[in-house]
Amino acid sequence: MRITVWILGDQLLEDHVALDYAKGYGDHEHIRVLMIESRKQTSRLPHQRKKLVLLFSAMRHYAEKLRQNGIEVDYRSANTTTDALEAHLADFQPDLLVTMSASTYAGRRFQRNLQQRFQTRMILLPNTMFLVELFNPYPDPQAGKRYVMENFYREMRRHHRILLDDSDQPIGGIWNFDQDNRKPLPRSVVPPEPLTFPPDKLTQQVMQAVAALDNHVGTADGFALAVTHDDAELALQDFINHRLANFGTYEDAMSAQHHVLFHSVLSPYVNIGLLTPMQMVEAALRAYEAGSAPINAVEGFIRQIIGWREYIYWQYWRQMPALQDANGWHGTRTMPRMFWDADTPMNCVHHVVKRLIDTGYTHHIERLMVICNFCLLADVDPGEVADWFLTFYVDAYEWVVYPNVIGMGMNADGGQTATKPYIASANYIHKMSDYCGDCPFDPKQRIGERACPFNYLYWNFIIEHEAMLRSNPRLGKNVLGLRHLDAHERERVQEQAQDFLNGLELYESVRQKRRLTLK
Ligand code: FAD
Ligand code: SF4
């Protein structure tokens, strides 16, 4: 029996379920692994060059490792995945094609259609990259019902018996230590730099090839991410040893000096299978048991993984395909040009975007409270924001971008992912960062020449959507703030917001371009 195991580029698991399945039929001699680099896949949208290097280099290292373990690999570069599959099936004529279900809606639909298209028998296995595929707290979600991440997270903790005492109560007495977290970074605290990985010969070849590709963003230069399981494990240990203990406390802090702070920067790895969610959780639990990290940090980190990450994936499957076009606040603008070139006097936006262009990474709060906050207040179309995220971030894939950006950041899905829009005036950024000190705008002024745009845009948004916001119990406080603005001030806020938005230079629509390439 000749078996082809097709391994997708974002499913580079050390223990791959499709490979295990094939091995069940006998020895290696009958198994051939197929891996595909598809040009169409990477040209639908511009991509962060460092993401392309990460993906292609990790895939090629993975193929190398399989070969060293005596498994034959057919590694193909082709115009499309279909071309590569057709050529592979013609060349090798396998009796069986085994693969793992894709993490994205379009990918899974493509896999299902293949079964009708080709004569070869195909086995589509469950996706083991996510815990929620194996245990789902809400297998039959009700239409229209709101599900809250916190409850989902507790179910996951109970099921996997994580941080529970002998009577099934949360260790430390509470489920969530957020009240101990979310502090700004004091000047005296200097976060350690994360471990970097100098590119080996294979990665250097990929860097050269990616540097020569047109129409992408960022640069391959300076690529220093892990591309193997062993190095990803070193990156995990580096985080556990040097940053986990302060993870919770400074989780929401932003800094112009330090871009990673105490975050893990592990999303690029776990999203392509170089790490697994449980591997990350178990490493944090070991640190807690060894007494090297406090409960607020360990619980906070674990909540990100078995709580937020899994909940986001669950929301993606629950809401697709409607989610990709959701536009609850009716945003119409394309992305402002400053998000493509970092050219803006708004110091927070400048720093975050500049860093993103250079590295492909910014941490969670910058994604939510600087980028999405601005885009929601400035009526940007959520689909445009999502495609911009897919373009610039090194860890971006549709399953994670759509619910985080369209659902949470832009609150465009009718409150399914997050029960309130994350909107804030400059006060929040001022409190949590050092950006405002060096900014020509004043975070305390609501109107006037030096007023921070976040302020008048925020109040303009509240005035425009007052009725809708009032109906959300979690936002009553924000709307109540309107009492402090008299009629004249309201008018001036709206005028200044309109002038600002009319003068905002916009970039071309990426979504429209993508639609054309999909036709
Ligand atoms: P840490 O802060 O160290 O957190 C640990 C891990 O928790 C992360 O590595 C990640 O795997 C997981 N995690 C935490 N929150 C989330 C979440 N909301 N969704 C999924 N995983 C989560 N994450 C991506 O992986 N890719 C994206 O393209 C992406 N886009 C985002 C866009 C917006 C608007 C928002 C609000 C969040 C987005 N996130 C995305 C989630 C989160 O911001 C990143 O996972 C995190 O910043 C990655 O950095 P880190 O590894 O240092 O995370
Ligand atoms: Fe950003 Fe406004 Fe602060 Fe400037 S003043 S850094 S624009 S929040």
Side-chain angles (χ1 to χ4, degrees):
M1 171 111 150
R2 289 182 305 266
I3 306 178
T4 288
V5 173
W6 173 28
I7 294 188
L8 308 191
D10 62 351
Q11 297 185 340
L12 306 178
L13 290 169
E14 203 155 19
D15 296 315
H16 198 288
V17 67
L19 209 44
D20 288 346
Y21 184 94
K23 284 176 187 164
Y25 276 86
D27 51 36
H28 285 182
E29 279 157 41
H30 307 289
I31 301 172
R32 189 174 281 114
V33 165
L34 169 65
M35 296 180 76
I36 302 170
E37 283 180 21
S38 149
R39 281 183 281 279
K40 187 161 181 202
Q41 194 80 354
T42 47
S43 62
R44 279 191 192 134
L45 273 176
H47 282 280
Q48 167 62 255
R49 285 196 171 80
K50 288 192 173 67
K51 176 183 177 186
L52 295 179
V53 176
L54 170 70
L55 268 174
F56 295 154
S57 180
M59 284 173 73
R60 290 177 196 190
H61 279 88
Y62 188 88
E64 241 357 90
K65 192 167 158 184
L66 289 176
R67 287 188 185 115
Q68 281 162 13
N69 290 336
I71 296 175
E72 195 182 325
V73 180
D74 179 28
Y75 194 99
R76 289 182 184 251
S77 293
N79 269 336
T80 67
T81 306
T82 311
D83 288 352
L85 274 164
E86 265 168 7
H88 172 90
L89 296 178
D91 288 351
F92 298 108
Q93 308 203 346
D95 304 298
L96 186 64
L97 178 67
V98 189
T99 193
M100 192 203 281
S101 298
S103 307
T104 60
Y105 187 84
R108 220 170 267 192
R109 200 176 44 191
F110 176 79
Q111 288 174 321
R112 292 207 174 110
N113 288 343
L114 281 181
Q115 294 187 303
Q116 289 145 18
R117 192 167 185 159
F118 297 128
Q119 303 296 319
T120 314
R121 190 158 79 87
M122 186 170 165
I123 305 257
L124 199 53
L125 294 167
N127 185 314
T128 60
M129 306 258 306
F130 299 88
L131 300 168
V132 73
E133 289 257 4
L134 310 173
F135 164 71
N136 181 349
Y138 306 120
D140 302 307
Q142 292 164 28
K145 182 172 172 200
R146 290 197 183 182
Y147 292 85
V148 180
M149 195 295 284
E150 187 63 30
N151 299 338
F152 176 97
Y153 162 62
R154 290 180 191 186
E155 290 302 322
M156 294 297 272
R157 252 175 82 182
R158 283 195 192 98
H159 177 81
H160 292 283
R161 300 214 45 78
I162 292 170
L163 289 176
L164 295 186
D165 63 20
D166 292 341
S167 45
D168 283 356
Q169 291 309 304
I171 286 181
I174 46 175
W175 290 96
N176 180 323
F177 286 81
D178 262 356
Q179 83 273 15
D180 295 350
N181 296 346
R182 303 182 166 167
K183 298 201 169 46
L185 188 77
R187 265 175 214 273
S188 55
V189 176
V190 179
E193 286 299 317
L195 199 60
T196 52
F197 299 88
D200 65 5
K201 223 167 162 184
L202 188 50
T203 302
Q204 285 172 23
Q205 283 166 4
V206 176
M207 285 166 71
Q208 270 179 10
V210 167
L213 295 175
D214 289 333
N215 302 325
H216 294 292
V217 301
T219 151
D221 289 347
F223 178 87
L225 292 170
V227 291
T228 62
H229 297 111
D230 288 350
D231 282 353
E233 168 70 29
L234 287 178
L236 169 61
Q237 280 316 318
D238 174 61
F239 164 70
I240 298 286
N241 296 340
H242 303 297
R243 302 195 299 285
L244 172 64
N246 277 318
F247 174 84
T249 311
Y250 302 118
E251 204 178 334
D252 288 5
M254 295 178 276
S255 161
Q257 320 296 324
H258 311 285
H259 95 270
V260 167
L261 290 105
F262 293 94
H263 290 271
S264 68
V265 201
L266 295 174
S267 53
Y269 310 136
V270 68
N271 288 357
I272 61 172
L274 293 187
L275 291 175
T276 67
M278 251 330 162
Q279 192 180 353
M280 292 160 74
V281 168
E282 281 165 5
L285 286 174
R286 279 195 298 274
Y288 177 66
E289 279 153 19
S292 57
I295 186 73
N296 71 310
V298 173
E299 186 282 315
F301 181 66
I302 288 176
R303 177 150 32 92
Q304 302 311 307
I305 298 161
I306 65 166
W308 276 113
R309 185 171 190 273
E310 297 291 334
Y311 173 74
I312 283 293
Y313 182 75
W314 180 81
Q315 280 287 3
Y316 173 77
W317 284 102
R318 180 187 175 209
Q319 293 193 55
M320 280 297 280
L323 180 64
Q324 61 196 341
D325 294 317
N327 192 352
W329 299 90
H330 311 294
T332 52
R333 289 191 171 78
T334 56
M335 280 304 265
R337 180 171 284 279
M338 64 184 179
F339 288 101
W340 285 81
D341 57 16
D343 187 7
T344 168
M346 297 177 74
N347 201 37
C348 53
V349 176
H350 168 73
H351 267 283
V352 170
V353 176
K354 168 92 181 49
R355 190 179 276 164
L356 177 61
I357 295 170
D358 291 347
T359 67
Y361 175 86
T362 70
H363 72 67
H364 182 77
I365 290 301
E366 293 167 330
R367 300 183 201 209
L368 187 63
M369 299 311 293
V370 176
I371 298 165
C372 282
N373 184 20
F374 182 91
C375 291
L376 180 51
L377 298 178
D379 291 331
V380 181
D381 178 336
E384 297 287 347
V385 188
D387 282 0
W388 177 88
F389 268 88
L390 282 167
T391 297
F392 275 93
Y393 278 87
V394 80
D395 57 7
Y397 301 88
E398 278 184 14
W399 66 264
V400 64
V401 165
Y402 286 172
N404 270 307
V405 173
I406 300 177
M408 182 151 57
M410 300 299 291
N411 190 244
D413 63 350
Q416 295 292 314
T417 308
T419 48
K420 64 164 190 176
Y422 285 89
I423 46 170
S425 66
N427 190 32
Y428 179 86
I429 296 173
H430 187 38
K431 195 174 82 189
M432 295 309 298
S433 79
D434 55 4
Y435 290 133
C436 300
D438 289 328
C439 186
F441 297 109
D442 182 346
K444 298 219 181 307
Q445 288 188 36
R446 197 181 287 151
I447 28 187
E449 210 180 312
R450 289 199 57 232
C452 170
F454 275 104
N455 287 342
Y456 45 79
L457 290 178
Y458 172 80
W459 288 109
N460 175 59
F461 189 89
I462 301 242
I463 294 166
E464 274 187 2
H465 301 288
E466 186 177 349
M468 182 126 156
L469 293 170
R470 265 189 203 287
S471 65
N472 184 328
R474 292 193 68 197
L475 281 165
K477 220 169 60 187
N478 305 46
V479 187
L480 282 180
L482 268 183
R483 278 179 317 187
H484 304 298
L485 272 71
D486 60 27
H488 178 59
E489 258 185 309
R490 284 180 180 221
E491 212 174 288
R492 287 188 59 202
V493 158
Q494 290 197 282
E495 258 173 35
Q496 191 159 356
Q498 267 327 307
D499 285 351
F500 175 86
L501 291 173
N502 291 340
L504 196 59
E505 210 185 324
L506 301 178
Y507 198 75
E508 65 193 19
S509 165
V510 179
R511 185 148 271 216
Q512 221 164 16
K513 249 179 151 175
R514 177 147 76 120
R515 289 228 161 94
L516 290 175
T517 62
L518 283 174
K519 275 186 183 161

